[in-house]
Amino acid sequence: MIILDGNKTSSEIKDEIAIDVNKMKEHGEKVPHLAAVLVGDDGASLTYVGSKVRACERVGFKSTLVQMSTTTTEDELLQKINELNENDDIDGFIVQLPLPEQIDEQKVLMAVDPSKDVDGFHPENFGKMALEMESFIPATPFGILQLLERYQVKTKGKHTVVIGRSHIVGRPMSILMSQKGNAGNSTVTLTHSYTKNLSEITKQADIIIVALGIPEFLKADMVKEGVVIIDVGISRVPDETHSRGYIIKGDVDFESVSKKASFITPVPGGVGPMTIAMLLKNTLIARQRKTS
Ligand code: NAD
């Protein structure tokens, strides 16, 4: 069994990005600039945005954190997005989700200039991705593709089962795995909460990508020997023995499933760190597209 090590792989990707940024500096070019908009004071969101800003510093990007209060109106946020769209110095930006309930998430995502949409959530980018055109691939699916590619996991002709159909992970993943090219050419089954006899389907899978948010949902008796497991889930499970009062669990019962798997991502240290690395990669691509 081989661990698909997201810490190691994301670190390599960040080093590659840093080399490109250094070259830009040597040539007197502007370095990529990522902005992150955070509305409200949700603890997990603050942590995620903080990690993204620190990652920018590590690779030599410029970063801007735009913090707005919980009571921000939809108009105020749309105004801010407009400013970021028009600011030539900013190559890409993200709006951290979830947003407070007075704000329509879809309206916000639609307002982002697709050429700066490094999260790849705008319908123009999603549509282009589905049509195999140049776009921004959402960071988490992009990270999963990179893990599969860099560990040379065979996907061609394999049966991939995706569990979960969210717009940011499951749905794009199902499209990408069926596409032509590396880490693609798979036969894909997309499953969700209305899927009947899920175990019968997962037992036929060569590759399982799990993104549903139920800790240790996938058990060993649901998979076949030699399966490749990608665990996207991140859940905080109360644990009094830990100083934080909780531990992070994935959607896979790692202990038992890893014994049958040929490749598996751990949680933490699998898909999570890849997501940030690919956000940086998308920002680098956004900068490069501006100059090419
Ligand atoms: P979501 O929470 O939006 O949706 C969950 C999906 O699971 C739905 O499509 C639902 O149909 C499906 N589902 C629920 N119960 C099911 C069942 N019993 N059988 C089959 N399908 C079922 O999904 P999301 O936003 O993709 O998040 C999923 C998990 O991934 C969460 O734990 C989230 O925190 C994590 N996540 C991690 C990263 C990362 O960088 N590692 C990124 C995004 C999300």
Side-chain angles (χ1 to χ4, degrees), residues 140 163-166 168-169 192-193 211-213 217 232-234 271-272 275:
T140 303
I163 310 181
R165 58 179 164 186
S166 73
I168 59 169
V169 188
H192 46 77
S193 48
L212 73 161
F217 174 87
V232 186
I234 303 176
V271 176
T275 298

Side-chain angles (χ1 to χ4, degrees), residues 19-284:
I19 290 170
D20 281 348
V21 174
N22 268 333
K23 279 187 198 145
M24 288 172 160
K25 281 186 189 160
E26 278 166 22
H27 295 142
E29 293 166 14
K30 181 184 131 25
V31 299
H33 184 177
L34 175 72
V37 183
L38 177 64
V39 187
D41 49 15
D42 177 68
S45 294
L46 268 167
T47 311
Y48 289 143
V49 169
S51 317
K52 289 168 186 173
V53 170
R54 276 195 304 282
C56 282
E57 284 161 12
R58 180 180 154 192
V59 298
F61 283 7
K62 201 171 154 189
S63 67
T64 299
L65 174 59
V66 181
Q67 266 189 290
M68 302 179 82
S69 80
T70 315
T71 54
T72 302
T73 65
E74 193 175 277
D75 278 350
E76 284 167 339
L77 180 56
L78 291 173
Q79 174 60 35
K80 179 53 73 182
I81 289 173
N82 205 30
E83 280 170 28
L84 295 170
N85 283 341
E86 282 173 10
N87 183 341
D88 268 346
D89 194 59
I90 287 172
D91 300 297
F93 66 96
I94 57 155
V95 181
Q96 185 65 44
L97 302 177
L99 291 167
E101 57 182 18
Q102 72 274 16
I103 299 173
D104 180 342
E105 224 164 78
Q106 260 191 355
K107 255 194 201 168
V108 169
L109 299 182
M110 292 285 287
V112 176
D113 178 339
S115 71
K116 294 190 176 189
D117 170 40
V118 286
D119 255 340
F121 293 164
H122 191 285
E124 183 175 317
N125 279 314
F126 199 95
K128 284 183 170 175
M129 177 203 72
L131 294 169
E132 301 181 43
M133 294 165 74
E134 184 179 277
S135 68
F136 290 111
I137 299 173
T140 303
F142 197 4
I144 295 170
L145 293 183
Q146 282 294 309
L147 271 179
L148 292 170
E149 257 182 64
R150 288 178 185 238
Y151 278 86
Q152 296 176 356
V153 176
K154 290 194 173 60
T155 58
K156 190 173 168 183
K158 302 289 180 191
H159 181 201
T160 296
V161 172
V162 180
I163 310 181
R165 58 179 164 186
S166 73
H167 294 168
I168 59 169
V169 188
R171 184 74 52 81
M173 219 46 240
S174 70
I175 295 168
L176 291 162
M177 291 303 288
S178 71
Q179 285 188 347
K180 289 177 189 153
N182 250 348
N185 287 318
S186 232
T187 304
V188 179
T189 304
L190 178 58
T191 67
H192 46 77
S193 48
Y194 288 96
T195 299
K196 291 190 177 133
N197 305 323
L198 182 65
S199 302
E200 295 311 312
I201 300 168
T202 52
K203 271 192 257 180
Q204 293 170 33
D206 302 306
I207 301 167
I208 307 181
I209 300 168
V210 203
L212 73 161
I214 305 177
E216 300 185 331
F217 174 87
L218 192 80
K219 308 281 185 202
D221 62 1
M222 297 169 76
V223 307
K224 71 176 183 189
E225 285 290 338
V227 67
V228 176
I229 300 285
I230 304 289
D231 186 354
V232 186
I234 303 176
S235 299
R236 287 182 179 192
V237 176
D239 185 339
E240 293 313 322
T241 65
H242 207 280
S243 56
R244 286 181 308 210
Y246 67 86
I247 51 167
I248 300 289
K249 288 261 184 213
D251 288 346
V252 175
D253 180 6
F254 186 88
E255 189 60 28
S256 67
V257 174
S258 60
K259 293 192 175 86
K260 289 175 99 174
S262 55
F263 293 89
I264 187 166
T265 59
V267 176
V271 176
M274 293 300 292
T275 298
I276 294 188
M278 300 328 287
L279 174 67
L280 299 177
K281 181 75 182 174
N282 274 342
T283 308
L284 178 68

